[in-house]
Amino acid sequence: MTEINRAPWRTASYSVDNNNCVEVAPLPSSTGIRDTKDRGRGHLEISAASWGELLKEIKG
């Protein structure tokens, strides 16, 4: 859990306001994703490869 607390979380750049977006953070072996409006609820971790594929799909 300490790793998550120290992670450099950043808000998604496509957010119109900071209440309806996600935050991402690079972790040692994965990428962390969490809801900006409910940070204490937890996070999702996906592999770096999966994160790259997701971004490719989003960008089209």
Side-chain angles (χ1 to χ4, degrees):
M1 189 57 127
T2 303
E3 177 181 299
I4 295 302
N5 293 335
R6 292 183 183 161
W9 292 95
R10 64 180 176 83
T11 303
S13 60
Y14 288 100
S15 175
V16 175
D17 61 50
N18 287 338
N19 293 321
N20 294 310
C21 59
V22 297
E23 295 177 325
V24 296
L27 301 173
S29 59
S30 61
T31 297
I33 304 168
R34 68 182 180 186
D35 185 347
T36 299
K37 63 183 174 280
D38 197 359
R39 293 177 178 117
R41 192 167 184 191
H43 68 283
L44 171 68
E45 287 185 41
I46 61 173
S47 70
S50 294
W51 179 246
E53 288 298 317
L54 175 63
L55 292 180
K56 261 202 282 192
E57 287 294 321
I58 291 171
K59 292 177 181 180

